[in-house]
Amino acid sequence: MARVIVEALDSVHGRTAAGLDARLESLVDNEWVPVVERRTDASGRIEEWGGTDGGRGLYRLVFDVDRYFNGLGLSTVHPEVAATFRVSDGESGHRVNLTLSLNHYAVAFIAD
């Protein structure tokens, strides 16, 4: 599968979103199938997913925003963020930038 790098920012505290759980899923026969789960590192990044040998198709990242903010003693209006993207060339990469706050989020995809 194409390389997928996640960069997550916590705009409430003005820092990286370290410790944010993310699940990579693949669309198989019209159902989302979990591929692998990871957690952002101290710099708010996930660079290695491991065990991902899928090719072209639809994928999505599901971020557990509720658990992240609850762990900081806060509550959010959106318990999870799902970001769907298409892989059309197994050699290309994707950078997913996620910015979180308690009341909104922004996701940007950058194809490498």
Side-chain angles (χ1 to χ4, degrees), residues 35-54:
V35 175
V36 65
E37 294 184 27
R38 293 287 182 262
R39 180 173 286 172
T40 56
D41 62 17
S43 64
R45 295 170 63 96
I46 300 171
E47 295 191 38
E48 286 298 324
W49 290 87
T52 55
D53 58 356

Side-chain angles (χ1 to χ4, degrees), residues 90-108:
E91 298 302 314
S92 65
H94 300 274
R95 184 173 308 272
V96 180
N97 294 332
L98 173 66
T99 303
L100 299 171
S101 81
L102 298 177
N103 299 316
H104 79 280
Y105 61 88
V107 178

Side-chain angles (χ1 to χ4, degrees), residues 68-88:
Y68 173 77
F69 279 121
N70 284 338
L72 298 172
L74 300 170
S75 180
T76 179
V77 298
H78 45 273
E80 69 178 24
V81 170
T84 306
F85 61 100
R86 181 182 316 277
V87 172
S88 56

